[in-house]
Amino acid sequence: MDNWNATHVLDRSNYNNSGLCVAEDSLITLADGSKKKIKDIKEGEYVLSLNESSGKLVSNKVNALLDMGNKTIYELKTESGRAVNTTATHPYLTILYDKDKCEEYLNNGYNEHIPESYTLNNSCLRWVEVKDLSVGG
């Protein structure tokens, strides 16, 4: 964990975006498929973000950018080897295999409007903050 300047993109005006930050050098995918460092993105540009209903990446207009100051940055690595540098409070859509954890995260503020299809027989999909994730958890 290192301290870096964190930036936040607001791309949906009806979503509570507080605390959703990535490091200023993080690459963001634009609507045209090109990538740009978040610190270089301007208001009015279009970026890709997850449509929770369809599970697909869709184009959204950047309404504003917020400089969140210096924050501790965590490197989150996926099983496929991809990595992102993000703040502790940034949520990621995660597969949980513990029924109690599925219930616990259902009401954490990020999961209030998730589709029923996110709850499966032996697992669930939930938005979980990086600080609450663990290896293999």
Side-chain angles (χ1 to χ4, degrees), residues 11-12 15 47-60 91-94 115 118 125 127:
D11 62 2
R12 290 182 279 177
Y15 183 71
V47 298
L48 292 181
S49 62
L50 180 67
N51 176 310
E52 291 182 49
S53 298
S54 69
K56 297 182 188 239
L57 293 176
V58 297
S59 174
N60 277 296
Y92 287 88
L93 192 58
T94 306
Y118 279 25
L125 292 170
W127 291 98

Side-chain angles (χ1 to χ4, degrees), residues 26-46:
S26 295
L27 291 175
I28 302 297
T29 304
L30 302 179
D32 67 3
S34 64
K35 295 188 185 301
K36 188 186 267 193
K37 289 182 181 180
I38 194 169
K39 68 181 179 182
D40 297 330
I41 290 178
K42 306 285 186 240
E43 185 176 324
E45 289 188 88
Y46 285 81

